[in-house]
Amino acid sequence: MEKRNIVIIGGGPAGLAAAMGAYDAGERDILILEREPKLGGILNQCIHNGFGLHTFKEELTGPEYANRFIREVKARNIEYKLGTTVISFDKDKVVTAVNDKDGLIKIQAKAVILCCGCRERPRGGINIAGCRSAGIFSAGTAQKLVNMEGLMPGKEIVILGSGDIGLIMARRMTFEGAKVKAVVELMPYSSGLNRNIVQCLNDFDIPLMFSHTVVDIKGEGRVSSVVIAEVDEKLNPKMETAQEIPCDTLLLSVGLIPENELAKQAGVNLSTITSGAEVNDRMMTSLDGVFECGNVLHVHDLVDFVSEESVLAGKCAAQYVKDGFTTNGSTKISTFGGVRYCVPQFVEHNDDYTPFPLKMRVANVFKNVWIKVYADGVEVAKKRKQIATPGEMETISLKKEQVEILRNAKEIRVGIEEVNK
């Protein structure tokens, strides 16, 4: 059995940044395992711009952003294996993988960093009635077909869901000559970034219909139309509002799910809200020496934030391999007032007061509010927001003295309050 200090599962933006973080923290024995034939992950099919504004202070396409990290990984001589699928890993950090060159591989790691990304929720996950016609794709699949395979999914498009991939594909399909009839969103607000609504829909006069959903798909052999209807406050369709939209393609942008099957098999504690692992402020899961970061932990809105988080995970994994972690327990962070979740979920009780961020998403649209952090009932940090939406991740960056307070707290709460409260 091969022995390694750090094994990183996934060679996308999270895996690349985690490898750099570990290397720059002094670790040299690092191995990245990537199932695709090249590094970069999902960024390779994201040929639109908008990446890198935080990390590099300039606009890059997905492949350009990925290539900058790939170059850095190669410059550090960090080892990686492509076309390698990880079958499992266990609580003892034994990683089992397979590829066509080495066959079955078993690696005993001192630390494992999970950077597996996320997958799209399929039609079966949302129970749309109707026939099983051709012409129904997830937005990400359509993106790969158009951008990497040079294939067009269809000519007359309806998109269900206003996630960022769906919004971007509305523009992309328009560029390729298709007619996007409508983007239909179940909720009364978008789950995507506001800039994508402006640049991908408004700029091309593509209608966005809030509080609507697809209730039926028609067509034999190929989609011929979809039936949409308005929904009530409980998200139940009001069938008297139903209308039929002729189309040959339905794209689904109805949510992303962290790819945590490996973590689940190994016994990692998962959050029922994010579907990612529950981690402490060192990005370590409930399994000692197993770390998680990026979209496998919680779905991010910007890849820049994935990179930032993953560098931290890599540094912490390197520290764990070198010195181990000492702790006197931890305090779980609870949320209130419309904050759905906060990552990390736990703050360790130790003497390391290195600043770290709290990242969260809200459950609805809030205007003119404070996002506040309390420790044992005392306000520790706050951030004012003119508008907070579910489509954009919120971050509170903690200072050294604030971290010290949280590390000694018995109760930590993060939530939203009205400005005048």
Side-chain angles (χ1 to χ4, degrees):
M1 185 183 297
E2 185 179 355
K3 293 185 177 181
R4 292 282 185 159
N5 282 356
I6 296 179
V7 173
I8 298 173
I9 302 176
L16 296 170
M20 290 169 54
Y23 185 96
D24 293 348
E27 181 56 58
R28 295 296 179 265
D29 187 8
I30 305 166
L31 176 63
I32 302 172
L33 302 177
E34 168 57 46
R35 67 184 177 187
E36 294 295 325
K38 63 186 297 185
L39 296 172
I42 197 67
L43 290 177
N44 291 321
Q45 70 183 52
C46 299
I47 65 173
H48 53 279
N49 63 358
F51 300 92
L53 288 170
H54 293 266
T55 306
F56 300 110
K57 309 304 179 188
E58 60 180 302
E59 270 199 306
L60 303 171
T61 65
E64 287 173 329
Y65 185 93
N67 193 51
R68 295 207 178 179
F69 280 86
I70 292 169
R71 288 204 307 264
E72 292 295 329
V73 164
K74 290 181 177 179
R76 290 165 173 77
N77 291 317
I78 297 172
E79 188 177 347
Y80 56 89
K81 289 181 180 291
L82 302 177
T84 302
T85 299
V86 175
I87 300 171
S88 67
F89 78 95
D90 59 28
K91 58 183 176 57
D92 297 319
K93 299 184 283 292
V94 175
V95 179
T96 303
V98 64
N99 63 34
D100 59 6
K101 180 181 178 181
D102 304 309
L104 191 69
I105 312 166
K106 279 190 175 292
I107 306 168
Q108 175 66 68
K110 291 183 179 179
V112 174
I113 309 178
L114 299 173
C115 305
C116 311
C118 56
R119 65 182 187 271
E120 295 179 279
R121 181 174 283 109
R123 175 185 177 180
I126 54 175
N127 297 322
I128 303 177
C131 60
R132 296 172 59 88
S133 304
I136 304 170
F137 302 87
S138 69
T141 298
Q143 185 181 58
K144 184 175 183 179
L145 288 172
V146 174
N147 293 348
M148 301 188 74
E149 307 294 337
L151 301 172
M152 276 292 284
K155 292 294 186 182
E156 295 188 317
I157 318 293
V158 171
I159 299 175
L160 175 61
S162 61
D164 287 313
I165 305 175
L167 298 175
I168 288 164
M169 283 310 295
R171 178 179 62 183
R172 187 74 181 95
M173 297 300 289
T174 302
F175 282 162
E176 292 298 325
K179 173 65 176 176
V180 179
K181 298 289 190 72
V183 175
V184 181
E185 171 57 55
L186 176 69
M187 304 303 291
Y189 51 79
S190 173
S191 57
L193 293 170
N194 186 62
R195 76 180 191 194
N196 284 332
I197 295 175
V198 174
Q199 295 174 3
C200 301
L201 301 188
N202 297 351
D203 287 357
F204 297 92
D205 296 323
I206 298 171
L208 173 57
M209 305 175 70
F210 290 124
S211 298
H212 281 74
T213 191
V214 173
V215 295
D216 195 9
I217 302 171
K218 296 186 176 183
E220 294 185 11
R222 177 84 191 193
V223 173
S224 61
S225 65
V226 297
V227 179
I228 68 170
E230 190 178 346
V231 298
D232 59 22
E233 294 79 6
K234 296 182 179 180
L235 306 183
N236 295 315
K238 297 190 287 187
M239 296 309 296
E240 66 274 14
T241 67
Q243 57 178 300
E244 189 170 344
I245 302 178
C247 63
D248 61 19
T249 304
L250 175 65
L251 300 187
L252 304 178
S253 180
V254 291
L256 300 170
I257 305 170
E259 190 66 85
N260 265 303
E261 292 306 311
L262 292 173
K264 190 184 301 182
Q265 291 171 15
V268 172
N269 291 343
L270 301 182
S271 165
T272 56
I273 299 174
T274 65
S275 297
E278 292 186 332
V279 297
N280 61 27
D281 53 276
R282 290 161 163 166
M283 310 309 294
M284 190 164 76
T285 70
S286 59
L287 291 185
D288 190 56
V290 177
F291 301 79
E292 192 164 281
C293 55
N295 282 350
V296 72
L297 178 61
H298 60 124
V299 177
H300 294 62
D301 47 0
L302 297 177
V303 72
D304 303 70
F305 299 151
V306 168
S307 301
E308 177 186 82
E309 179 179 278
S310 302
V311 167
L312 173 62
K315 289 180 177 178
C316 291
Q319 180 189 347
Y320 173 86
V321 169
K322 181 181 179 182
D323 302 318
F325 288 156
T326 57
T327 181
N328 296 312
S330 62
T331 298
K332 185 166 186 177
I333 299 175
S334 62
T335 60
F336 69 92
V339 172
R340 287 186 61 235
Y341 71 83
C342 179
V343 173
Q345 285 89 352
F346 295 89
V347 175
E348 294 289 301
H349 299 167
N350 56 49
D351 297 328
D352 180 7
Y353 303 134
T354 304
F356 63 86
L358 297 176
K359 298 182 178 181
M360 64 208 74
R361 282 189 189 265
V362 299
N364 211 323
V365 177
F366 296 92
K367 296 182 179 180
N368 198 21
V369 293
W370 290 108
I371 300 176
K372 292 189 176 183
V373 181
Y374 288 94
D376 295 329
V378 178
E379 182 184 301
V380 175
K382 65 180 181 179
K383 180 179 181 180
R384 186 167 181 174
K385 293 290 295 184
Q386 291 300 323
I387 183 166
T389 68
E392 300 193 26
M393 192 169 67
E394 301 295 341
T395 302
I396 291 184
S397 297
L398 300 173
K399 300 177 181 178
K400 181 178 179 180
E401 56 271 21
Q402 295 169 324
V403 172
E404 184 175 359
I405 294 171
L406 295 188
R407 291 216 184 279
N408 293 286
K410 295 180 180 178
E411 180 189 57
I412 303 173
R413 301 172 68 238
V414 178
I416 286 179
E417 291 181 0
E418 295 178 3
V419 166
N420 59 3
K421 185 173 181 180

